[in-house]
């Protein structure tokens, strides 16, 4: 029983593999696929983007697919960057920005700049995971992880905004946690575990 985890993000793929390994589920990645396709994420909600990705990859490769759309919602920014989390650095917020760093670093710097002197630093990670099988239909779940944005980046584990996200109840950033611990509390871990429960139930019906 193999599922294609259709993500171009290595950090995400690593986490999906770890989470699924607890259930003995083997994961294929886009790198295992001979023919390559790209899918643009141009929708306005996590769910629509995740459905689009799952359907495109599933219909193309004709195997069961898991796709995720995820992001960080910051309260003081009205929920931004949200669905724009991956390319936040390149979205114009009134100033021209040249990218000299890597993407994750650029996103982090931009967010810290926008939150400078802001007292409300509440944020949450969101994950919407879609399972799609060309033979049957689709299932989706969501997971959230609440926390605050730190003053400066710390830690080198994880990916994306992890170095500036302090989960509720912790005094360190997500990037300072062991991978197992991040998976236990993360938006992705929660969404995937919900999904596996539903799939297990369905397979016994
Ligand atoms: P795919 O669409 O190919 O899966 P992507 O990186 O474009 O890869 P998303 O559109 O879901 O994935 O973008 C999510 C972005 O949100 C991601 O690039 C990170 O910047 C951020 N993000 C999501 N989950 C995160 C996590 O667990 N830790 C830190 N940042 C995360």
């Amino acid at each position: 029983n193999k599922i294609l985890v259709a993500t171009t993000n290595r950090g995400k793929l690593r986490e999906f593999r770890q989470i699924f390994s607890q259930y003995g589920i083997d994961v294929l990645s886009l790198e295992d696929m001979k023919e390559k396709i790209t899918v643009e994420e141009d929708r306005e909600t996590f769910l629509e983007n995740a459905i689009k990705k799952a359907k495109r990859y599933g219909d193309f490769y004709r195997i069961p697919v898991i796709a995720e759309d995820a992001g960080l919602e910051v309260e003081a920014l009205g929920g931004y960057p949200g669905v724009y989390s991956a390319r936040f650095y390149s979205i114009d917020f009134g100033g021209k920005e040249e990218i000299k760093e890597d993407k994750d670093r650029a996103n982090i710097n931009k967010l810290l700049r926008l939150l400078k002197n802001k007292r409300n630093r509440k944020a949450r990670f969101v994950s919407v995971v879609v399972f799609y099988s060309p033979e049957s239909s689709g299932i989706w779940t969501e997971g959230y992880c609440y926390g605050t944005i730190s003053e400066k980046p710390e830690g080198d584990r994880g990916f994306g905004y992890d170095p500036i996200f302090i989960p509720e109840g912790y005094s360190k950033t997500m990037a300072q946690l062991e991978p197992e611990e991040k998976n236990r509390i993360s938006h992705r871990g929660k969404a995937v575990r919900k999904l596996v429960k539903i799939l297990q139930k369905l397979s016994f019906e």
Side-chain angles (χ1 to χ4, degrees), residues 6-10 12 15-16 30 39 41 46 49 53 57 67-72 82-87 103-104 107 125-128 158-163 165 174 182 186-188:
T7 179
T8 59
N9 183 314
R10 280 162 190 269
K12 269 192 187 184
E15 291 178 11
F16 272 109
L30 292 174
V39 181
E41 290 169 57
F46 292 116
N49 277 327
K53 284 188 267 190
Y57 287 112
E68 182 206 46
D69 201 40
L72 179 69
V83 291
Y84 308 107
S85 294
R87 53 199 154 95
K103 262 168 116 183
D104 284 349
N107 284 332
F125 274 125
V126 183
S127 161
V128 174
F159 67 96
Y161 297 88
D162 284 340
F165 185 85
M174 199 80 123
K182 174 178 174 182
S186 79
H187 47 310
R188 183 164 300 107

mmCIF file of all heavy atoms in Angstrom, residues 6-10 12 15-16 30 39 41 46 49 53 57 67-72 82-87 103-104 107 125-128 158-163 165 174 182 186-188, ligand 1:
data_model
loop_
_atom_site.group_PDB
_atom_site.id
_atom_site.type_symbol
_atom_site.label_atom_id
_atom_site.label_comp_id
_atom_site.label_asym_id
_atom_site.label_seq_id
_atom_site.Cartn_x
_atom_site.Cartn_y
_atom_site.Cartn_z
ATOM 1 N N ALA A 6 2.633 14.203 -2.428
ATOM 2 C CA ALA A 6 2.943 15.117 -3.530
ATOM 3 C C ALA A 6 3.341 16.487 -2.996
ATOM 4 O O ALA A 6 2.532 17.411 -2.943
ATOM 5 C CB ALA A 6 1.748 15.229 -4.468
ATOM 6 N N THR A 7 4.591 16.594 -2.589
ATOM 7 C CA THR A 7 5.110 17.895 -2.149
ATOM 8 C C THR A 7 6.478 18.133 -2.746
ATOM 9 O O THR A 7 7.243 17.197 -2.964
ATOM 10 C CB THR A 7 5.196 17.983 -0.609
ATOM 11 O OG1 THR A 7 5.723 19.270 -0.258
ATOM 12 C CG2 THR A 7 6.090 16.914 -0.011
ATOM 13 N N THR A 8 6.770 19.393 -3.025
ATOM 14 C CA THR A 8 8.089 19.771 -3.532
ATOM 15 C C THR A 8 8.974 20.282 -2.403
ATOM 16 O O THR A 8 10.103 20.691 -2.631
ATOM 17 C CB THR A 8 7.951 20.892 -4.586
ATOM 18 O OG1 THR A 8 7.303 22.018 -3.959
ATOM 19 C CG2 THR A 8 7.121 20.441 -5.771
ATOM 20 N N ASN A 9 8.434 20.246 -1.189
ATOM 21 C CA ASN A 9 9.143 20.796 -0.039
ATOM 22 C C ASN A 9 9.808 19.660 0.755
ATOM 23 O O ASN A 9 9.125 18.797 1.301
ATOM 24 C CB ASN A 9 8.121 21.554 0.818
ATOM 25 C CG ASN A 9 8.743 22.234 2.025
ATOM 26 O OD1 ASN A 9 9.537 21.639 2.741
ATOM 27 N ND2 ASN A 9 8.361 23.476 2.258
ATOM 28 N N ARG A 10 11.142 19.667 0.802
ATOM 29 C CA ARG A 10 11.872 18.563 1.433
ATOM 30 C C ARG A 10 11.602 18.432 2.926
ATOM 31 O O ARG A 10 11.547 17.337 3.477
ATOM 32 C CB ARG A 10 13.384 18.744 1.236
ATOM 33 C CG ARG A 10 13.843 18.302 -0.114
ATOM 34 C CD ARG A 10 15.220 18.883 -0.444
ATOM 35 N NE ARG A 10 15.505 18.613 -1.846
ATOM 36 C CZ ARG A 10 16.141 17.533 -2.263
ATOM 37 N NH1 ARG A 10 16.551 16.615 -1.407
ATOM 38 N NH2 ARG A 10 16.364 17.349 -3.555
ATOM 39 N N LYS A 12 8.844 19.246 4.495
ATOM 40 C CA LYS A 12 7.528 18.632 4.642
ATOM 41 C C LYS A 12 7.598 17.126 4.407
ATOM 42 O O LYS A 12 7.055 16.347 5.173
ATOM 43 C CB LYS A 12 6.598 19.184 3.557
ATOM 44 C CG LYS A 12 5.817 20.380 3.904
ATOM 45 C CD LYS A 12 4.782 20.519 2.771
ATOM 46 C CE LYS A 12 3.991 21.761 2.845
ATOM 47 N NZ LYS A 12 2.962 21.797 1.799
ATOM 48 N N GLU A 15 8.947 15.147 7.230
ATOM 49 C CA GLU A 15 7.999 15.021 8.339
ATOM 50 C C GLU A 15 6.873 14.041 8.006
ATOM 51 O O GLU A 15 6.493 13.223 8.845
ATOM 52 C CB GLU A 15 7.448 16.396 8.724
ATOM 53 C CG GLU A 15 8.529 17.253 9.359
ATOM 54 C CD GLU A 15 8.061 18.659 9.717
ATOM 55 O OE1 GLU A 15 6.850 18.931 9.672
ATOM 56 O OE2 GLU A 15 8.934 19.484 10.045
ATOM 57 N N PHE A 16 6.344 14.090 6.793
ATOM 58 C CA PHE A 16 5.305 13.139 6.391
ATOM 59 C C PHE A 16 5.829 11.712 6.516
ATOM 60 O O PHE A 16 5.141 10.824 7.010
ATOM 61 C CB PHE A 16 4.860 13.399 4.943
ATOM 62 C CG PHE A 16 3.749 14.404 4.824
ATOM 63 C CD1 PHE A 16 3.977 15.661 4.298
ATOM 64 C CD2 PHE A 16 2.462 14.086 5.244
ATOM 65 C CE1 PHE A 16 2.949 16.595 4.191
ATOM 66 C CE2 PHE A 16 1.422 15.006 5.131
ATOM 67 C CZ PHE A 16 1.679 16.265 4.606
ATOM 68 N N LEU A 30 7.634 12.696 -5.106
ATOM 69 C CA LEU A 30 7.623 13.129 -6.511
ATOM 70 C C LEU A 30 8.928 12.752 -7.208
ATOM 71 O O LEU A 30 8.963 12.573 -8.415
ATOM 72 C CB LEU A 30 7.372 14.639 -6.597
ATOM 73 C CG LEU A 30 5.971 15.090 -6.182
ATOM 74 C CD1 LEU A 30 5.876 16.612 -6.164
ATOM 75 C CD2 LEU A 30 4.905 14.512 -7.120
ATOM 76 N N VAL A 39 2.382 21.953 -10.536
ATOM 77 C CA VAL A 39 1.034 22.431 -10.245
ATOM 78 C C VAL A 39 1.150 23.778 -9.540
ATOM 79 O O VAL A 39 1.841 23.902 -8.532
ATOM 80 C CB VAL A 39 0.270 21.435 -9.337
ATOM 81 C CG1 VAL A 39 -1.136 21.943 -9.058
ATOM 82 C CG2 VAL A 39 0.227 20.054 -9.973
ATOM 83 N N GLU A 41 -0.016 26.872 -7.306
ATOM 84 C CA GLU A 41 -0.926 27.115 -6.183
ATOM 85 C C GLU A 41 -1.450 28.529 -6.273
ATOM 86 O O GLU A 41 -0.811 29.469 -5.842
ATOM 87 C CB GLU A 41 -0.170 26.968 -4.861
ATOM 88 C CG GLU A 41 0.213 25.561 -4.553
ATOM 89 C CD GLU A 41 1.168 25.501 -3.392
ATOM 90 O OE1 GLU A 41 0.823 25.999 -2.315
ATOM 91 O OE2 GLU A 41 2.271 24.979 -3.588
ATOM 92 N N PHE A 46 -6.451 27.350 1.812
ATOM 93 C CA PHE A 46 -5.605 26.164 1.949
ATOM 94 C C PHE A 46 -6.298 24.958 1.324
ATOM 95 O O PHE A 46 -5.682 24.179 0.613
ATOM 96 C CB PHE A 46 -5.351 25.878 3.437
ATOM 97 C CG PHE A 46 -4.496 26.910 4.125
ATOM 98 C CD1 PHE A 46 -5.011 27.687 5.149
ATOM 99 C CD2 PHE A 46 -3.171 27.082 3.768
ATOM 100 C CE1 PHE A 46 -4.221 28.630 5.796
ATOM 101 C CE2 PHE A 46 -2.365 28.016 4.410
ATOM 102 C CZ PHE A 46 -2.902 28.799 5.428
ATOM 103 N N ASN A 49 -6.284 24.922 -2.544
ATOM 104 C CA ASN A 49 -4.943 24.620 -3.053
ATOM 105 C C ASN A 49 -4.599 23.144 -2.862
ATOM 106 O O ASN A 49 -4.043 22.501 -3.757
ATOM 107 C CB ASN A 49 -3.892 25.472 -2.338
ATOM 108 C CG ASN A 49 -3.751 26.864 -2.935
ATOM 109 O OD1 ASN A 49 -3.913 27.051 -4.150
ATOM 110 N ND2 ASN A 49 -3.467 27.840 -2.103
ATOM 111 N N LYS A 53 -3.874 20.356 -5.841
ATOM 112 C CA LYS A 53 -2.631 19.576 -5.933
ATOM 113 C C LYS A 53 -2.939 18.075 -5.927
ATOM 114 O O LYS A 53 -2.437 17.324 -6.769
ATOM 115 C CB LYS A 53 -1.696 19.919 -4.767
ATOM 116 C CG LYS A 53 -0.992 21.269 -4.918
ATOM 117 C CD LYS A 53 0.060 21.479 -3.840
ATOM 118 C CE LYS A 53 -0.475 22.219 -2.638
ATOM 119 N NZ LYS A 53 0.570 22.635 -1.677
ATOM 120 N N TYR A 57 -2.110 15.656 -9.281
ATOM 121 C CA TYR A 57 -1.099 14.599 -9.196
ATOM 122 C C TYR A 57 -1.756 13.223 -9.247
ATOM 123 O O TYR A 57 -1.277 12.317 -9.933
ATOM 124 C CB TYR A 57 -0.275 14.737 -7.910
ATOM 125 C CG TYR A 57 0.704 15.887 -7.929
ATOM 126 C CD1 TYR A 57 0.530 16.995 -7.100
ATOM 127 C CD2 TYR A 57 1.825 15.857 -8.763
ATOM 128 C CE1 TYR A 57 1.442 18.056 -7.099
ATOM 129 C CE2 TYR A 57 2.740 16.908 -8.771
ATOM 130 C CZ TYR A 57 2.545 18.010 -7.938
ATOM 131 O OH TYR A 57 3.438 19.047 -7.950
ATOM 132 N N ALA A 67 -1.807 15.395 -0.548
ATOM 133 C CA ALA A 67 -1.245 16.722 -0.780
ATOM 134 C C ALA A 67 -1.616 17.614 0.392
ATOM 135 O O ALA A 67 -2.644 17.405 1.042
ATOM 136 C CB ALA A 67 -1.765 17.318 -2.082
ATOM 137 N N GLU A 68 -0.777 18.564 0.664
ATOM 138 C CA GLU A 68 -1.017 19.460 1.795
ATOM 139 C C GLU A 68 -0.838 20.898 1.372
ATOM 140 O O GLU A 68 0.043 21.211 0.565
ATOM 141 C CB GLU A 68 -0.020 19.165 2.922
ATOM 142 C CG GLU A 68 -0.243 20.040 4.157
ATOM 143 C CD GLU A 68 1.013 20.240 5.000
ATOM 144 O OE1 GLU A 68 2.085 20.530 4.425
ATOM 145 O OE2 GLU A 68 0.926 20.100 6.228
ATOM 146 N N ASP A 69 -1.691 21.765 1.879
ATOM 147 C CA ASP A 69 -1.373 23.180 1.800
ATOM 148 C C ASP A 69 -1.303 23.671 3.241
ATOM 149 O O ASP A 69 -2.176 23.370 4.047
ATOM 150 C CB ASP A 69 -2.403 23.970 0.994
ATOM 151 C CG ASP A 69 -1.812 25.280 0.500
ATOM 152 O OD1 ASP A 69 -0.631 25.278 0.086
ATOM 153 O OD2 ASP A 69 -2.499 26.317 0.553
ATOM 154 N N ALA A 70 -0.228 24.374 3.536
ATOM 155 C CA ALA A 70 0.012 24.786 4.923
ATOM 156 C C ALA A 70 0.491 26.218 4.955
ATOM 157 O O ALA A 70 0.852 26.784 3.924
ATOM 158 C CB ALA A 70 1.054 23.865 5.559
ATOM 159 N N GLY A 71 0.499 26.793 6.132
ATOM 160 C CA GLY A 71 1.020 28.147 6.248
ATOM 161 C C GLY A 71 0.916 28.673 7.661
ATOM 162 O O GLY A 71 0.417 27.993 8.557
ATOM 163 N N LEU A 72 1.400 29.893 7.801
ATOM 164 C CA LEU A 72 1.430 30.549 9.093
ATOM 165 C C LEU A 72 0.473 31.738 9.072
ATOM 166 O O LEU A 72 0.555 32.571 8.167
ATOM 167 C CB LEU A 72 2.859 31.032 9.373
ATOM 168 C CG LEU A 72 3.093 31.776 10.684
ATOM 169 C CD1 LEU A 72 2.961 30.818 11.875
ATOM 170 C CD2 LEU A 72 4.483 32.415 10.689
ATOM 171 N N GLY A 82 -0.511 33.453 5.686
ATOM 172 C CA GLY A 82 -1.536 32.494 5.282
ATOM 173 C C GLY A 82 -1.170 31.665 4.060
ATOM 174 O O GLY A 82 -0.110 31.046 4.035
ATOM 175 N N VAL A 83 -2.051 31.686 3.051
ATOM 176 C CA VAL A 83 -1.781 30.867 1.860
ATOM 177 C C VAL A 83 -0.567 31.382 1.070
ATOM 178 O O VAL A 83 -0.079 30.700 0.167
ATOM 179 C CB VAL A 83 -2.990 30.772 0.891
ATOM 180 C CG1 VAL A 83 -4.118 29.967 1.507
ATOM 181 C CG2 VAL A 83 -3.476 32.143 0.465
ATOM 182 N N TYR A 84 -0.085 32.559 1.420
ATOM 183 C CA TYR A 84 1.099 33.100 0.732
ATOM 184 C C TYR A 84 2.391 32.812 1.479
ATOM 185 O O TYR A 84 3.448 33.371 1.150
ATOM 186 C CB TYR A 84 0.953 34.617 0.527
ATOM 187 C CG TYR A 84 -0.349 34.983 -0.141
ATOM 188 C CD1 TYR A 84 -1.374 35.592 0.573
ATOM 189 C CD2 TYR A 84 -0.558 34.675 -1.480
ATOM 190 C CE1 TYR A 84 -2.588 35.901 -0.030
ATOM 191 C CE2 TYR A 84 -1.771 34.973 -2.093
ATOM 192 C CZ TYR A 84 -2.778 35.585 -1.361
ATOM 193 O OH TYR A 84 -3.972 35.868 -1.958
ATOM 194 N N SER A 85 2.352 31.954 2.489
ATOM 195 C CA SER A 85 3.517 31.731 3.363
ATOM 196 C C SER A 85 4.795 31.357 2.614
ATOM 197 O O SER A 85 5.873 31.833 2.951
ATOM 198 C CB SER A 85 3.197 30.645 4.395
ATOM 199 O OG SER A 85 2.190 31.092 5.271
ATOM 200 N N ALA A 86 4.667 30.498 1.594
ATOM 201 C CA ALA A 86 5.871 30.016 0.924
ATOM 202 C C ALA A 86 6.578 31.128 0.148
ATOM 203 O O ALA A 86 7.803 31.128 0.037
ATOM 204 C CB ALA A 86 5.526 28.859 -0.018
ATOM 205 N N ARG A 87 5.809 32.063 -0.389
ATOM 206 C CA ARG A 87 6.430 33.133 -1.216
ATOM 207 C C ARG A 87 6.170 34.511 -0.626
ATOM 208 O O ARG A 87 6.072 35.496 -1.342
ATOM 209 C CB ARG A 87 5.912 33.037 -2.646
ATOM 210 C CG ARG A 87 4.393 33.028 -2.733
ATOM 211 C CD ARG A 87 3.911 32.488 -4.068
ATOM 212 N NE ARG A 87 2.580 31.931 -3.943
ATOM 213 C CZ ARG A 87 1.459 32.591 -4.203
ATOM 214 N NH1 ARG A 87 1.493 33.830 -4.619
ATOM 215 N NH2 ARG A 87 0.283 32.022 -4.049
ATOM 216 N N LYS A 103 15.124 31.412 0.698
ATOM 217 C CA LYS A 103 13.711 31.766 0.810
ATOM 218 C C LYS A 103 13.190 31.781 2.245
ATOM 219 O O LYS A 103 12.523 32.724 2.663
ATOM 220 C CB LYS A 103 12.887 30.749 0.025
ATOM 221 C CG LYS A 103 12.508 31.227 -1.353
ATOM 222 C CD LYS A 103 11.980 30.078 -2.135
ATOM 223 C CE LYS A 103 10.626 30.054 -2.590
ATOM 224 N NZ LYS A 103 10.085 28.953 -3.274
ATOM 225 N N ASP A 104 13.494 30.695 2.980
ATOM 226 C CA ASP A 104 13.016 30.621 4.368
ATOM 227 C C ASP A 104 13.517 31.817 5.169
ATOM 228 O O ASP A 104 12.776 32.435 5.926
ATOM 229 C CB ASP A 104 13.492 29.330 5.042
ATOM 230 C CG ASP A 104 12.697 28.114 4.577
ATOM 231 O OD1 ASP A 104 11.657 28.294 3.906
ATOM 232 O OD2 ASP A 104 13.127 26.984 4.881
ATOM 233 N N ASN A 107 11.716 35.011 4.130
ATOM 234 C CA ASN A 107 10.368 35.068 4.692
ATOM 235 C C ASN A 107 10.413 35.475 6.163
ATOM 236 O O ASN A 107 9.622 36.311 6.621
ATOM 237 C CB ASN A 107 9.687 33.700 4.576
ATOM 238 C CG ASN A 107 9.216 33.398 3.166
ATOM 239 O OD1 ASN A 107 8.908 34.311 2.401
ATOM 240 N ND2 ASN A 107 9.161 32.129 2.818
ATOM 241 N N PHE A 125 0.075 27.907 13.057
ATOM 242 C CA PHE A 125 0.346 27.151 11.840
ATOM 243 C C PHE A 125 -0.927 26.396 11.469
ATOM 244 O O PHE A 125 -1.621 25.880 12.353
ATOM 245 C CB PHE A 125 1.447 26.112 12.069
ATOM 246 C CG PHE A 125 2.845 26.631 11.901
ATOM 247 C CD1 PHE A 125 3.776 26.494 12.934
ATOM 248 C CD2 PHE A 125 3.253 27.223 10.714
ATOM 249 C CE1 PHE A 125 5.077 26.939 12.779
ATOM 250 C CE2 PHE A 125 4.555 27.674 10.549
ATOM 251 C CZ PHE A 125 5.467 27.529 11.589
ATOM 252 N N VAL A 126 -1.197 26.338 10.185
ATOM 253 C CA VAL A 126 -2.360 25.616 9.683
ATOM 254 C C VAL A 126 -1.885 24.576 8.669
ATOM 255 O O VAL A 126 -1.015 24.860 7.842
ATOM 256 C CB VAL A 126 -3.337 26.579 8.953
ATOM 257 C CG1 VAL A 126 -4.589 25.835 8.501
ATOM 258 C CG2 VAL A 126 -3.688 27.760 9.831
ATOM 259 N N SER A 127 -2.468 23.386 8.751
ATOM 260 C CA SER A 127 -2.201 22.357 7.741
ATOM 261 C C SER A 127 -3.528 21.786 7.270
ATOM 262 O O SER A 127 -4.355 21.386 8.081
ATOM 263 C CB SER A 127 -1.351 21.231 8.354
ATOM 264 O OG SER A 127 -1.445 20.054 7.567
ATOM 265 N N VAL A 128 -3.726 21.790 5.968
ATOM 266 C CA VAL A 128 -4.884 21.114 5.395
ATOM 267 C C VAL A 128 -4.346 19.996 4.509
ATOM 268 O O VAL A 128 -3.568 20.242 3.585
ATOM 269 C CB VAL A 128 -5.779 22.076 4.588
ATOM 270 C CG1 VAL A 128 -6.898 21.299 3.889
ATOM 271 C CG2 VAL A 128 -6.365 23.140 5.498
ATOM 272 N N GLY A 158 13.847 21.510 11.572
ATOM 273 C CA GLY A 158 12.603 21.852 10.898
ATOM 274 C C GLY A 158 12.857 22.619 9.607
ATOM 275 O O GLY A 158 13.868 22.425 8.944
ATOM 276 N N PHE A 159 11.944 23.521 9.275
ATOM 277 C CA PHE A 159 12.083 24.311 8.047
ATOM 278 C C PHE A 159 11.170 25.528 8.157
ATOM 279 O O PHE A 159 10.488 25.731 9.164
ATOM 280 C CB PHE A 159 11.724 23.460 6.813
ATOM 281 C CG PHE A 159 10.268 23.070 6.753
ATOM 282 C CD1 PHE A 159 9.359 23.818 6.007
ATOM 283 C CD2 PHE A 159 9.796 21.975 7.447
ATOM 284 C CE1 PHE A 159 8.013 23.471 5.941
ATOM 285 C CE2 PHE A 159 8.451 21.618 7.403
ATOM 286 C CZ PHE A 159 7.565 22.370 6.648
ATOM 287 N N GLY A 160 11.147 26.309 7.091
ATOM 288 C CA GLY A 160 10.218 27.445 7.018
ATOM 289 C C GLY A 160 10.336 28.405 8.193
ATOM 290 O O GLY A 160 11.431 28.866 8.536
ATOM 291 N N TYR A 161 9.207 28.676 8.807
ATOM 292 C CA TYR A 161 9.143 29.661 9.887
ATOM 293 C C TYR A 161 9.457 29.065 11.265
ATOM 294 O O TYR A 161 9.307 29.749 12.281
ATOM 295 C CB TYR A 161 7.745 30.296 9.921
ATOM 296 C CG TYR A 161 7.382 31.066 8.663
ATOM 297 C CD1 TYR A 161 6.788 30.435 7.586
ATOM 298 C CD2 TYR A 161 7.656 32.428 8.555
ATOM 299 C CE1 TYR A 161 6.457 31.131 6.430
ATOM 300 C CE2 TYR A 161 7.323 33.136 7.415
ATOM 301 C CZ TYR A 161 6.728 32.476 6.350
ATOM 302 O OH TYR A 161 6.409 33.171 5.212
ATOM 303 N N ASP A 162 9.877 27.804 11.311
ATOM 304 C CA ASP A 162 10.132 27.151 12.603
ATOM 305 C C ASP A 162 11.075 27.940 13.528
ATOM 306 O O ASP A 162 10.836 27.969 14.740
ATOM 307 C CB ASP A 162 10.682 25.731 12.396
ATOM 308 C CG ASP A 162 9.590 24.756 11.990
ATOM 309 O OD1 ASP A 162 8.405 25.063 12.232
ATOM 310 O OD2 ASP A 162 9.919 23.682 11.444
ATOM 311 N N PRO A 163 12.139 28.573 13.005
ATOM 312 C CA PRO A 163 13.059 29.277 13.917
ATOM 313 C C PRO A 163 12.450 30.485 14.638
ATOM 314 O O PRO A 163 13.057 30.986 15.591
ATOM 315 C CB PRO A 163 14.202 29.736 12.986
ATOM 316 C CG PRO A 163 14.130 28.827 11.807
ATOM 317 C CD PRO A 163 12.674 28.516 11.622
ATOM 318 N N PHE A 165 8.969 30.489 15.547
ATOM 319 C CA PHE A 165 7.661 30.109 16.094
ATOM 320 C C PHE A 165 7.830 29.390 17.428
ATOM 321 O O PHE A 165 8.460 28.328 17.502
ATOM 322 C CB PHE A 165 6.924 29.208 15.108
ATOM 323 C CG PHE A 165 5.517 28.856 15.541
ATOM 324 C CD1 PHE A 165 4.450 29.710 15.260
ATOM 325 C CD2 PHE A 165 5.260 27.687 16.257
ATOM 326 C CE1 PHE A 165 3.158 29.388 15.666
ATOM 327 C CE2 PHE A 165 3.968 27.363 16.662
ATOM 328 C CZ PHE A 165 2.917 28.209 16.366
ATOM 329 N N MET A 174 10.150 26.140 17.536
ATOM 330 C CA MET A 174 9.880 24.863 16.872
ATOM 331 C C MET A 174 11.178 24.294 16.283
ATOM 332 O O MET A 174 11.335 23.078 16.209
ATOM 333 C CB MET A 174 8.856 25.121 15.761
ATOM 334 C CG MET A 174 8.135 23.925 15.266
ATOM 335 S SD MET A 174 6.787 23.457 16.340
ATOM 336 C CE MET A 174 5.422 23.497 15.180
ATOM 337 N N LYS A 182 8.288 17.813 17.476
ATOM 338 C CA LYS A 182 7.564 18.703 16.564
ATOM 339 C C LYS A 182 6.362 17.956 15.982
ATOM 340 O O LYS A 182 5.250 18.486 15.961
ATOM 341 C CB LYS A 182 8.470 19.210 15.428
ATOM 342 C CG LYS A 182 7.662 20.016 14.412
ATOM 343 C CD LYS A 182 8.419 20.633 13.261
ATOM 344 C CE LYS A 182 7.410 21.259 12.291
ATOM 345 N NZ LYS A 182 7.993 21.852 11.095
ATOM 346 N N SER A 186 2.658 19.374 16.083
ATOM 347 C CA SER A 186 2.517 20.246 14.909
ATOM 348 C C SER A 186 1.153 20.131 14.237
ATOM 349 O O SER A 186 0.454 19.121 14.355
ATOM 350 C CB SER A 186 3.621 19.949 13.886
ATOM 351 O OG SER A 186 3.302 18.793 13.137
ATOM 352 N N HIS A 187 0.805 21.174 13.533
ATOM 353 C CA HIS A 187 -0.366 21.211 12.661
ATOM 354 C C HIS A 187 -0.394 20.008 11.717
ATOM 355 O O HIS A 187 -1.401 19.356 11.533
ATOM 356 C CB HIS A 187 -0.359 22.531 11.875
ATOM 357 C CG HIS A 187 0.972 22.873 11.246
ATOM 358 N ND1 HIS A 187 2.149 22.843 11.954
ATOM 359 C CD2 HIS A 187 1.323 23.207 9.977
ATOM 360 C CE1 HIS A 187 3.146 23.145 11.142
ATOM 361 N NE2 HIS A 187 2.668 23.377 9.949
ATOM 362 N N ARG A 188 0.766 19.695 11.134
ATOM 363 C CA ARG A 188 0.874 18.584 10.176
ATOM 364 C C ARG A 188 0.635 17.244 10.866
ATOM 365 O O ARG A 188 -0.113 16.404 10.360
ATOM 366 C CB ARG A 188 2.278 18.624 9.541
ATOM 367 C CG ARG A 188 2.547 17.594 8.473
ATOM 368 C CD ARG A 188 3.779 17.973 7.665
ATOM 369 N NE ARG A 188 3.568 19.265 7.024
ATOM 370 C CZ ARG A 188 4.171 20.398 7.407
ATOM 371 N NH1 ARG A 188 5.079 20.394 8.367
ATOM 372 N NH2 ARG A 188 3.882 21.531 6.820
HETATM 373 P P1 LIG B 1 4.280 22.018 -1.761
HETATM 374 O O1 LIG B 1 3.181 22.938 -2.168
HETATM 375 O O2 LIG B 1 4.978 21.417 -2.917
HETATM 376 O O3 LIG B 1 3.829 20.991 -0.772
HETATM 377 P P2 LIG B 1 5.314 24.383 -0.440
HETATM 378 O O4 LIG B 1 6.526 24.701 0.366
HETATM 379 O O5 LIG B 1 4.954 25.318 -1.541
HETATM 380 O O6 LIG B 1 5.423 22.874 -0.993
HETATM 381 P P3 LIG B 1 2.940 25.210 0.905
HETATM 382 O O7 LIG B 1 2.387 25.852 -0.287
HETATM 383 O O8 LIG B 1 2.008 24.410 1.757
HETATM 384 O O9 LIG B 1 4.125 24.213 0.549
HETATM 385 O O10 LIG B 1 3.666 26.350 1.729
HETATM 386 C C1 LIG B 1 3.775 26.241 3.044
HETATM 387 C C2 LIG B 1 4.787 27.245 3.542
HETATM 388 O O11 LIG B 1 4.402 27.567 4.888
HETATM 389 C C3 LIG B 1 6.166 26.630 3.628
HETATM 390 O O12 LIG B 1 6.939 26.919 2.490
HETATM 391 C C4 LIG B 1 6.715 27.255 4.902
HETATM 392 O O13 LIG B 1 7.265 28.512 4.617
HETATM 393 C C5 LIG B 1 5.469 27.442 5.766
HETATM 394 N N1 LIG B 1 5.262 26.257 6.632
HETATM 395 C C6 LIG B 1 4.351 25.263 6.474
HETATM 396 N N2 LIG B 1 4.482 24.323 7.417
HETATM 397 C C7 LIG B 1 5.514 24.702 8.189
HETATM 398 C C8 LIG B 1 6.163 24.144 9.307
HETATM 399 O O14 LIG B 1 5.811 22.960 9.811
HETATM 400 N N3 LIG B 1 7.174 24.822 9.843
HETATM 401 C C9 LIG B 1 7.558 26.000 9.332
HETATM 402 N N4 LIG B 1 7.023 26.587 8.272
HETATM 403 C C10 LIG B 1 6.006 25.951 7.687
#
